[in-house]
Amino acid sequence: AELLRMRARVIMGCRDRARAERAAREIRAEVGERAEGEGELVVRELDLASLRSVRAFCHRVLQEESRLDVLINNAGIFQCPYMKTEDGFEMQFGVNHLGHFLLTNLLLGLLKNSAPSRVVVVSSKLYKYGEINFEDLNSEISYNKSFCYSRSKLANILFARELARRLEGTGVTVNSLHPGIVRTNLGRHVNIPLLAKPLFNLVSWAFFKTPLEGAQTSIYLASSPDVEGVSGKYFGDCKEEELLPKAMDDLVARKLWDISEVMVGLLK
């Protein structure tokens, strides 16, 4: 909604077409009808848990769009039971990291041709509890839903860092961010005991961010002139933040990139 208010042409990539169209209608109503050519909202089908869907979405974007100024990698799944994507990846790693990895790589040519352009990667402060275990990236040996979420968010930051390095001098910047704890249905897989629900609802109302508040850093990185030319950084509340050493390990970032390329089929 905020990008639309800035008169952007916004492509919503969503896995549920009907719900996406409903959301788009609500956003258009909220922002208000604008004169033609002053902002546009289009819905495209995109399921990050399916590499086939990612490829189809990118193919359509490349056919239909002459430029791409900003790519916001915002999809996420949080602490779900052990599940696999269509391609056999652990769901959180598959959606949160690998789906976005393929999506971004397939759209890189268009981003470069549209430079100066930006890639914004939504991570989480919970990256601090994650480790990149190359012996068990797909959680075949053991699965802990909390650790696996944190691993996927650490992977987001390492991906953004390595991508920023590879894109130096192209005019494409890449930054990652922590949105804060936001009142959305991201936590739908978290079981809260019935008796504790009223207390949880009270706490979330008092302390969690609204979706608009949670979107501020994404909007800032996507549109602010303050971060023009800034790349490879990590932000929270629209300010640059320090990372733990494990999120700045360039050797791990490079190895993760190489393995991800093979996992998503960019390299044999």
Side-chain angles (χ1 to χ4, degrees), residues 29-77:
E30 180 193 329
V31 172
E33 291 304 318
R34 293 195 171 275
E36 213 167 299
E38 284 201 355
E40 192 181 354
L41 189 60
V42 293
V43 172
R44 296 286 178 264
E45 214 164 294
L46 170 63
D47 183 356
L48 273 288
S50 161
L51 299 183
R52 180 176 47 83
S53 173
V54 173
R55 286 194 176 91
F57 170 83
C58 292
H59 180 71
R60 186 168 181 184
V61 168
L62 295 174
Q63 280 192 317
E64 294 178 348
E65 307 298 328
S66 59
R67 59 182 299 112
L68 178 60
D69 300 288
V70 185
L71 172 64
I72 304 177
N73 288 328
N74 177 67
I77 188 163

Side-chain angles (χ1 to χ4, degrees), residues 89-152:
F89 304 127
E90 184 275 311
M91 187 64 74
Q92 296 188 88
F93 191 73
V95 169
N96 300 356
H97 170 60
L98 291 172
H100 289 118
F101 180 86
L102 180 62
L103 177 79
T104 308
N105 272 286
L106 293 179
L107 295 176
L108 267 190
L110 188 55
L111 282 159
K112 286 177 185 173
N113 291 340
S114 310
S117 55
R118 305 178 182 189
V119 178
V120 179
V121 180
V122 180
S123 179
S124 164
K125 260 188 185 145
L126 292 175
Y127 85 85
K128 295 175 180 179
Y129 306 104
E131 300 293 339
I132 304 295
N133 176 8
F134 288 112
E135 304 305 311
D136 192 26
L137 269 185
N138 208 34
S139 303
E140 305 279 357
I141 300 166
S142 68
Y143 179 72
N144 176 299
K145 62 185 183 180
S146 301
F147 292 150
C148 284
Y149 178 76
S150 295
R151 173 191 289 170
S152 73

